């Protein structure tokens, strides 16, 4: 397994039980779920946050354990259909936020070599991910700099 910038293992997440239809106690209409997804996106939630809100709060008090089973669409697909998808992919956005936070910390604490290294690694990940998305989900001429990252977030 290729590890990017650490020898540690990733944190293990829970696996969903194998299911091909939503549980009978979660019988919310697919259109109501899609409306709630768009509503949450307009409030500024990301796709992963929307999934957590639907799991915890649900629609009209009924939890939605898996949006894809209930609607046959992923949250990101629902957002794209309703033109509510974010300007940047969520993983790139999160890396940019982290890079900006680390950059500001290193500027205030130039002796913090550990975080200088973390900033280098994070910026490397941003550039690698930007190359992946370039031309498709982000502009062809996107170039990572601290100033550009601050503008985007």
């Amino acid at each position: 397994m290729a590890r990017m910038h650490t020898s540690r293992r990733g944190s293990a997440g829970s696996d969903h039980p194998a299911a091909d239809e939503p549980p009978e106690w979660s019988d919310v209409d697919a259109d109501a779920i899609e409306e709630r997804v768009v509503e949450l996106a307009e409030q500024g939630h990301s796709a992963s946050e929307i999934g957590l809100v639907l799991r915890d709060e649900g629609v009209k008090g009924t939890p939605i354990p898996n949006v894809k089973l209930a609607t046959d669409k992923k949250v990101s697909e629902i957002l794209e259909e309703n033109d509510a998808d974010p300007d940047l992919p969520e993983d790139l956005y999160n890396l940019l936020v982290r890079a900006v936070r680390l950059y500001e910390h290193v500027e205030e604490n130039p002796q913090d070599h550990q975080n200088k290294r973390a900033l280098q690694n994070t910026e490397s990940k941003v550039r690698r991910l930007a190359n992946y998305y370039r031309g498709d989900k982000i502009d062809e001429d996107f170039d990572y700099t601290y100033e550009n990252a601050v503008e985007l977030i």
Side-chain angles (χ1 to χ4, degrees):
M1 176 191 287
R3 293 183 180 100
M4 196 168 300
H5 295 301
T6 180
S7 59
R8 287 176 267 132
R9 297 175 189 271
S11 60
S14 62
D15 289 331
H16 291 291
D20 49 5
E21 59 184 44
E24 60 268 357
W25 50 263
S26 178
D27 59 348
V28 180
D29 181 42
D31 293 333
I33 295 172
E34 290 188 28
E35 287 175 22
R36 182 76 171 131
V37 167
V38 173
E39 177 186 320
L40 289 168
E42 289 169 354
Q43 292 174 9
H45 293 285
S46 66
S48 58
E49 290 171 335
I50 290 171
L52 293 175
V53 169
L54 290 175
R55 181 198 68 195
D56 296 339
E57 298 173 12
V59 178
K60 300 175 188 162
T62 305
I64 310 298
N66 190 330
V67 173
K68 188 164 182 354
L69 286 179
T71 62
D72 291 330
K73 298 176 200 165
K74 293 181 178 180
V75 172
S76 55
E77 291 172 349
I78 294 171
L79 294 177
E80 282 178 28
E81 285 178 4
N82 293 285
D83 293 325
D85 52 335
D87 298 333
L88 287 174
E90 187 176 357
D91 50 358
L92 181 60
Y93 177 81
N94 290 337
L95 279 174
L96 288 174
V97 169
R98 180 176 179 167
V100 167
R101 191 179 67 237
L102 282 168
Y103 184 90
E104 291 169 354
H105 173 81
V106 168
E107 287 292 307
E108 292 174 19
N109 304 284
Q111 75 285 1
D112 190 347
H113 299 291
Q114 188 172 354
N115 278 312
K116 277 185 187 176
R117 174 79 175 138
L119 175 61
Q120 290 172 344
N121 290 341
T122 303
E123 288 178 337
S124 175
K125 289 179 188 178
V126 168
R127 289 187 188 97
R128 190 179 294 117
L129 201 55
N131 285 337
Y132 176 76
Y133 285 127
R134 188 167 284 121
D136 182 29
K137 301 210 179 204
I138 60 173
D139 291 336
E140 192 70 45
D141 59 346
F142 175 84
D143 189 33
Y144 169 77
T145 61
Y146 168 73
E147 292 78 20
N148 288 351
V150 170
E151 280 181 28
L152 290 170
I153 20 183

